Amino acid sequence: ILKRENIEGLKDYYNFCNGISSSPYTKETLEQWTKADAEARQITLGSIDGNIELDEIIESKIETSEPWVLIGGPPCQAYSLVGRARNKGNSEYKAEDDNRHFLYKEYLRIIQQYSPSIFVMENVKGILSSKVNDKRVFDDILIDLTDPDSALNRVGKGFKYRICSLVSEQVFRAGDDPKSIDPNKFIIRAENHSIPQARHRVILVGIREDMSGTLGTLLINDHVTVEEAISELPQLRSKLSKGKDSAERWKKIVKDQLCSLAKITTDKSLSNELTNTAYEIIENGTTGNLRFPKKGYSSECRSYNSNLIREWFSDNRLQVWLNHETRGHMDSDLGRYGYAAVFAKINNRSPKGHKEFDIQGLKPEHKNWESGKFSDRFRVQLKEYPSTTITSHISKDGHYFIHYDARQCRSLTVREAARLQTFPDNYFFQGNRTQQFHQVGNAVPPYLAYQIAKVLSDFFNNIK
């Protein structure tokens, strides 16, 4: 809003980011911040009050007679593999009684009532295999999206939609048999589109049948690695969650643990690398900050292989790195993180479960540790590849998001996770660190969203 209505007012935001002022707005920009605040709503879809509020917003903000795009998607908990695994452990759970399977109909209601020119619906990959009463839910979703009037048994404008893929030429139309198409062709693999993260999501684009033209597809680009994404950020040590937190104590703990593990392991190359790492631990000993000065701290900058992505991240108006602060780790986890990162450096993969963590001092105090269910309990984000999927679980612990640089011996910061999600550096996450991680993990990668928007924009421009 500031960029559209009050470009000069951006200085207020940057003064806040750089720590010059305590508020992101002044009286000169209060109007725009009030508008922005009003745009973010917490509405319970499906409730009477929630639907009334949502309808009022759409009717006041959108000229539905003009081309417009609806973006969103139903909650994913009922479809996600993790959520379904939890449900299997509940003997009383019945999929047909779980209303979350059918919340997509709240999205469908908006389509039926307001007839957007295009809609974009996003969800987890598990939606393709989720079943209710042994029937694939995705089949019903496809059929319903093509003909909202029939799906909801309502009289409307009679519009139908064709459902298109953003990564293939596959199209599903009203009357088609869902078994005639390949659901996997609706999966977008973010790492193929300059996102430094292996995030796989189902994204459907519905185009109203009266809109002629062919939807383009996302460009396939070279993979962007974790190292390319985050190596520019200053090196940090982890905090210590117990006892006195100091650089000297941290260095001693890490050095002692890595040297101890080097003596125990029977793998000679691993032993040598653990010893070398123990004596190469970063020297500055800083743990970062919510606003971390850009000047005066070291990093190992490797430029992006895409100029566009490089420009996407950078903002010369920032004098600080935002949200680049480490979390505290237990002494025992420091050894595990360091060992895992060294193992990954040598083997180009993370150590797998109890069989490769079968060293005195590494084994966690977990009764099911050797069950095989925790093979990826300690996962290093390999520097030469895109990261694994950044999820909100990163807020709980760092075990799945270990930094590849064993000399830093830690999990990722919010800013590092945000870069893997392609948030621009000027996006300042607020709240406590748990809330910040949730905001990062629950997001769609902004650069992927930008690319999708570009495809839709080109479609509109072509039909004009």
Side-chain angles (χ1 to χ4, degrees):
I1 293 178
L2 281 171
K3 287 183 177 179
R4 291 197 305 266
E5 299 181 5
N6 187 357
I7 192 70
E8 293 298 321
L10 280 171
K11 67 178 183 300
D12 288 350
Y13 177 69
Y14 285 100
N15 283 341
F16 174 66
C17 289
N18 291 322
I20 297 171
S21 65
S22 59
S23 173
Y25 58 84
T26 63
K27 62 181 180 179
E28 284 78 20
T29 53
L30 179 59
E31 179 183 353
Q32 285 76 39
W33 280 95
T34 302
K35 287 182 180 179
D37 188 55
E39 285 187 355
R41 311 296 273 267
Q42 292 180 319
I43 298 173
T44 303
L45 294 181
S47 68
I48 295 175
D49 291 342
N51 285 354
I52 290 174
E53 182 180 357
L54 182 57
D55 288 343
E56 288 176 346
I57 293 171
I58 292 176
E59 290 166 6
S60 66
K61 298 289 186 182
I62 297 174
E63 178 53 64
T64 55
S65 63
E66 297 293 330
W68 68 287
V69 180
L70 175 68
I71 303 173
C76 66
Q77 291 91 337
Y79 308 127
S80 73
L81 299 180
V82 173
R84 282 152 59 186
R86 290 197 190 104
N87 294 334
K88 282 184 179 180
N90 181 1
S91 60
E92 298 181 357
Y93 177 80
K94 295 181 180 179
E96 59 270 24
D97 295 334
D98 188 345
N99 185 55
R100 296 175 301 177
H101 281 108
F102 311 105
L103 282 175
Y104 76 90
K105 292 192 175 182
E106 296 301 328
Y107 187 71
L108 188 64
R109 182 187 75 83
I110 302 300
I111 297 173
Q112 189 274 334
Q113 188 166 338
Y114 297 104
S115 305
S117 307
I118 292 179
F119 66 79
V120 182
M121 180 173 143
E122 182 263 356
N123 216 283
V124 294
K125 192 167 62 172
I127 197 174
L128 300 180
S129 57
S130 182
K131 292 183 177 182
V132 174
N133 292 327
D134 291 326
K135 185 178 181 181
R136 198 166 63 178
V137 175
F138 188 66
D139 292 355
D140 288 339
I141 291 176
L142 279 179
I143 293 170
D144 289 349
L145 289 174
T146 61
D147 191 350
D149 288 351
S150 296
L152 298 177
N153 195 26
R154 294 179 182 177
V155 176
K157 298 175 183 177
F159 287 122
K160 294 183 180 181
Y161 290 82
R162 59 187 185 274
I163 312 303
C164 304
S165 167
L166 282 161
V167 291
S168 75
E169 296 180 354
Q170 179 166 264
V171 179
F172 183 84
R173 292 181 169 85
D176 288 352
D177 182 354
K179 293 182 175 57
S180 68
I181 56 111
D182 181 0
N184 292 313
K185 289 185 177 180
F186 289 114
I187 297 174
I188 291 181
R189 292 170 171 79
E191 66 272 24
N192 292 336
H193 310 288
S194 295
I195 311 301
Q197 175 191 173
R199 193 180 194 91
H200 300 169
R201 292 293 185 266
V202 172
I203 297 184
L204 309 177
V205 177
I207 302 177
R208 213 170 59 200
E209 285 290 14
D210 64 318
M211 306 280 289
S212 60
T214 301
L215 185 73
T217 56
L218 297 170
L219 296 176
I220 301 297
N221 298 312
D222 292 337
H223 286 182
V224 177
T225 69
V226 171
E227 182 180 32
E228 289 171 321
I230 70 173
S231 63
E232 179 183 12
L233 297 167
Q235 298 173 334
L236 305 175
R237 69 167 177 88
S238 60
K239 290 187 177 76
L240 297 172
S241 60
K242 293 184 178 180
K244 180 184 177 182
D245 181 38
S246 68
E248 292 74 19
R249 182 167 176 261
W250 176 84
K251 286 183 67 173
K252 184 178 188 309
I253 291 172
V254 174
K255 183 177 178 180
D256 289 350
Q257 292 209 15
L258 294 184
C259 287
S260 176
L261 293 169
K263 293 177 182 178
I264 298 173
T265 182
T266 57
D267 186 321
K268 188 172 182 180
S269 59
L270 185 58
S271 176
N272 290 337
E273 189 62 33
L274 284 167
T275 302
N276 292 338
T277 303
Y279 289 93
E280 293 176 355
I281 298 169
I282 59 170
E283 289 296 326
N284 59 35
T286 181
T287 58
N289 211 315
L290 187 65
R291 296 176 176 87
F292 190 71
K294 284 190 173 183
K295 293 183 178 180
Y297 292 97
S298 63
S299 64
E300 293 186 346
C301 181
R302 305 286 181 89
S303 62
Y304 254 104
N305 62 4
S306 165
N307 289 333
L308 181 60
I309 289 283
R310 191 72 193 87
E311 294 167 3
W312 177 268
F313 278 140
S314 296
D315 191 329
N316 293 331
R317 289 167 290 189
L318 287 175
Q319 302 167 13
V320 297
W321 298 106
L322 299 169
N323 307 103
H324 190 43
E325 182 178 16
T326 60
R327 72 204 318 163
H329 297 315
M330 297 189 300
D331 294 2
S332 56
D333 280 340
L334 291 177
R336 295 181 182 118
Y337 287 10
Y339 176 88
V342 169
F343 183 100
K345 180 179 179 180
I346 293 175
N347 297 285
N348 207 28
R349 64 177 177 84
S350 292
K352 290 286 186 181
H354 68 281
K355 292 183 178 180
E356 293 179 333
F357 255 76
D358 190 23
I359 299 176
Q360 185 66 32
L362 284 180
K363 179 180 177 180
E365 295 297 326
H366 197 302
K367 63 180 180 180
N368 295 322
W369 173 242
E370 297 185 6
S371 66
K373 295 180 180 179
F374 302 94
S375 60
D376 288 324
R377 177 64 170 164
F378 297 95
R379 181 184 290 162
V380 179
Q381 298 304 319
L382 304 176
K383 70 176 184 177
E384 296 175 353
Y385 299 90
S387 76
T388 57
T389 306
I390 302 297
T391 66
S392 61
H393 181 83
I394 194 173
S395 67
K396 297 183 181 298
D397 60 49
H399 298 343
Y400 291 87
F401 303 97
I402 300 172
H403 198 292
Y404 61 80
D405 185 0
R407 298 171 303 166
Q408 300 182 56
C409 201
R410 61 177 177 83
S411 60
L412 301 180
T413 66
V414 170
R415 180 51 54 192
E416 287 165 338
R419 275 209 164 195
L420 297 176
Q421 277 279 53
T422 65
F423 276 96
D425 289 343
N426 58 23
Y427 196 103
F428 197 176
F429 296 92
Q430 300 292 285
N432 60 41
R433 187 164 54 240
T434 295
Q435 293 168 330
Q436 294 168 24
F437 273 127
H438 272 293
Q439 292 168 56
V440 174
N442 286 331
V444 171
Y447 187 60
L448 180 61
Y450 168 80
Q451 294 177 72
I452 294 172
K454 181 68 166 58
V455 171
L456 301 186
S457 176
D458 290 344
F459 175 83
F460 278 121
N461 288 335
N462 288 335
I463 64 173
K464 284 180 181 179

